[in-house]
Amino acid sequence: MATPHNILVTGGAGFIGSNFIRYLFGKSTAEGDLFNDADFSGTVVNVDCLTYAGNLENLADVEAEFGGKRYFFEKTDICDSKEITRIFEHYNIDTVIHFAAESHVDRSILGPEAFVKTNVTGTFTLLEAARRYWTKDGSMRNDVLFHHVSTDEVYGSLGETGYFREDTPYDPRSPYSASKAASDHLVMAYHHTYGLPITLSNCTNNYGPYQFPEKLLPLMISNIKEGKNLPVYGKGDNIRDWIYVEDHNRAVWLIVNKGKRGEKYNIGGENEWQNIKLLHKLIELTAKETGKSVEEIEKTITYVKDRPGHDKRYAIDCAKIKNELGWQRKMTFEEGLKETVKWYLKNTSWIENILSGEYKNWIEKNYKEQGR
Ligand code: NAD
Ligand code: TYD
């Protein structure tokens, strides 16, 4: 198994991808030195077309210190086969870590096309470029790796009991999860058919700094701060398992370095919360940090129309990555949530900037009645 040198990170300007690049360069935002253990000395090429969710501000300090030396940014669409091929050749890529995606379920319900394009065709384009570039003299190199970052949502929805395991059959139910499932299948097919060295990870809901404020936690923190309504879908009894973004990224890095080629690994926080209970907890923490009254914030909770096809519960059995690779999450939820609340309250201009683009018009058009 070869050590990664020239890594192509896709979607590196988004939430998880930018935290991943920060982690590789020892720039974790978590307090203390908890996550600065990547021990990486190679090169990163960040390929991102900067959709509404991509933001280079997330990496300003990485660019300032490593730009043009060990860090390179290429504003490119992953569906652009010619450009992707050029990038493989120009940087002599030996490892792909593929984060780029359209990532929000609500948007996939309103406009599924972009999800099929980026998540399916984009992944296919990358796989093809990798296969071509890594085939030498008619055979596939075995010192290279394509790691695909995916979601637990491909497994469908759980009832009150049970967990998703690596061998749970796929049963995606939203256009987002269906497009991610299709991409997972393509990645596996390239391994079985062409011998492409791959690994794949399916992770639960991430939280932490730099998450676009359309997802539950940053949206709620930002709305609490602004005194806006807090839109809870349905009865608020859906359940998600939450993991700190850098615990996810540490798992990805471990799989890239030590994971068995051709295998998939589940990553989870072992930390299930009903949405409404999580919101109460968040309100309590945010009230403490802002000096607002819990009672006043609670009054802004607004139950809104449920998401169509809303998956009830996600929960991951992550025994495989724990037993085989020795992964453990480091961040406690108590600490991680507190740091996350503080981060969003402090970085108000980051939120203002990211919300000032095309997203603002989109949200006004689609979610006016929810008081967002
Ligand atoms: P995000 O929406 O914050 O970021 C996605 C990034 O991809 C953005 O920078 C965007 O500009 C870029 N991008 C989108 N389309 C592109 C294209 N066609 N070409 C190039 N770049 C493009 O998403 P995220 O939350 O950081 O998720 C990253 C990955 O992790 C996704 O594959 C997602 O399915 C997976 N995942 C996310 C979670 C989660 O909780 N957020 C959980 C499990 C898995
Ligand atoms: P989200 O952050 O969109 O992630 P996912 O749909 O991928 O799990 O949503 C997390 C949960 O919170 C999900 O059950 C939907 C719910 N939710 C709300 O109740 N209100 C909101 O405004 C949002 C964005 C999500």
Side-chain angles (χ1 to χ4, degrees):
M1 209 175 291
T3 312
H5 289 296
N6 301 329
I7 307 181
L8 167 53
V9 172
T10 70
F15 164 46
I16 307 178
S18 63
N19 274 291
F20 182 76
I21 293 175
R22 301 188 64 83
Y23 168 67
L24 284 190
F25 286 106
K27 299 246 175 242
S28 160
T29 39
E31 270 171 22
D33 257 349
L34 202 57
F35 290 101
N36 285 325
D37 59 359
D39 195 21
F40 172 67
S41 56
T43 296
V44 169
V45 185
N46 176 9
V47 167
D48 196 302
C49 71
L50 301 182
T51 66
Y52 75 99
N55 185 0
L56 289 177
E57 238 185 277
N58 304 3
L59 294 163
D61 51 349
V62 171
E63 174 68 52
E65 194 172 337
F66 300 100
K69 292 176 249 171
R70 292 179 51 214
Y71 171 75
F72 301 87
F73 174 67
E74 293 274 358
K75 184 173 185 304
T76 303
D77 191 314
I78 55 165
C79 299
D80 185 341
S81 170
K82 215 167 134 203
E83 268 301 286
I84 295 293
T85 301
R86 180 193 64 78
I87 289 165
F88 266 85
E89 288 167 0
H90 182 75
Y91 295 98
N92 188 20
I93 297 300
D94 54 57
T95 307
V96 174
I97 306 181
H98 176 31
F99 292 95
E102 285 293 337
S103 67
H104 197 206
V105 175
D106 292 334
R107 287 176 81 95
S108 83
I109 295 167
L110 290 161
E113 195 175 342
F115 288 71
V116 175
K117 191 166 165 285
T118 287
N119 301 359
V120 185
T121 309
T123 302
F124 163 72
T125 307
L126 289 165
L127 286 165
E128 268 298 276
R131 174 168 86 91
R132 279 195 305 266
Y133 187 63
W134 291 339
T135 302
K136 293 275 178 265
D137 305 323
S139 46
M140 179 61 68
R141 283 171 58 181
N142 61 9
D143 58 345
V144 291
L145 178 70
F146 189 109
H147 179 82
H148 180 58
V149 178
S150 192
T151 166
D152 60 351
E153 303 188 25
V154 297
Y155 296 119
S157 178
L158 289 165
E160 274 171 25
T161 57
Y163 295 92
F164 298 133
R165 294 160 39 100
E166 284 80 358
D167 57 5
T168 301
Y170 277 28
D171 182 23
R173 296 146 57 96
S174 73
Y176 164 65
S177 54
S179 67
K180 290 299 289 187
S183 65
D184 289 15
H185 289 316
L186 276 170
V187 170
M188 279 300 179
Y190 269 65
H191 175 68
H192 291 295
T193 309
Y194 305 112
L196 189 79
I198 66 100
T199 44
L200 201 159
S201 52
N202 297 86
C203 188
T204 53
N205 287 57
N206 286 221
Y207 71 96
Y210 303 110
Q211 185 168 31
F212 195 92
E214 64 186 344
K215 306 275 167 58
L216 183 72
L217 289 177
L219 174 80
M220 294 298 180
I221 300 169
S222 152
N223 281 14
I224 294 172
K225 190 173 158 280
E226 301 287 320
K228 289 188 185 164
N229 286 347
L230 308 177
V232 174
Y233 297 168
K235 295 196 191 102
D237 58 356
N238 301 68
I239 293 171
R240 298 292 182 263
D241 169 31
W242 295 91
I243 184 169
Y244 191 66
V245 59
E246 293 199 350
D247 274 323
H248 175 195
N249 282 333
R250 277 178 48 250
V252 166
W253 189 230
L254 188 64
I255 296 167
V256 165
N257 283 285
K258 302 222 164 79
K260 213 165 149 211
R261 278 33 186 164
E263 298 250 336
K264 77 203 298 284
Y265 295 85
N266 281 350
I267 307 166
E270 298 179 306
N271 176 41
E272 289 180 49
W273 286 81
Q274 219 180 34
N275 290 339
I276 191 66
K277 289 200 177 134
L278 179 54
L279 184 55
H280 289 313
K281 170 123 193 115
L282 195 70
I283 288 173
E284 200 184 291
L285 278 174
T286 313
K288 213 179 270 173
E289 294 296 330
T290 55
K292 292 186 185 230
S293 112
V294 170
E295 293 70 29
E296 285 305 308
I297 305 173
E298 291 275 346
K299 283 188 201 153
T300 61
I301 294 180
T302 313
Y303 289 91
V304 298
K305 200 164 105 215
D306 207 355
R307 172 188 282 174
H310 197 171
D311 287 342
K312 191 74 184 175
R313 173 172 166 256
Y314 302 143
I316 276 274
D317 176 343
C318 52
K320 178 174 174 180
I321 190 168
K322 285 165 104 181
N323 296 339
E324 291 184 16
L325 305 183
W327 175 83
Q328 250 327 326
R329 75 176 159 100
K330 280 187 179 179
M331 186 64 98
T332 63
F333 192 53
E334 195 67 32
E335 196 51 39
L337 200 57
K338 203 160 75 192
E339 276 200 20
T340 301
V341 167
K342 280 197 201 157
W343 192 90
Y344 287 98
L345 293 176
K346 193 166 131 209
N347 289 280
T348 44
S349 62
W350 182 88
I351 299 179
E352 277 159 26
N353 290 348
I354 202 161
L355 290 181
S356 66
E358 74 171 271
Y359 180 74
K360 201 169 167 213
N361 302 331
W362 187 86
I363 213 73
E364 272 167 16
K365 193 168 133 226
N366 292 292
Y367 285 100
K368 209 170 183 164
E369 82 283 4
Q370 294 184 3
R372 290 213 211 163

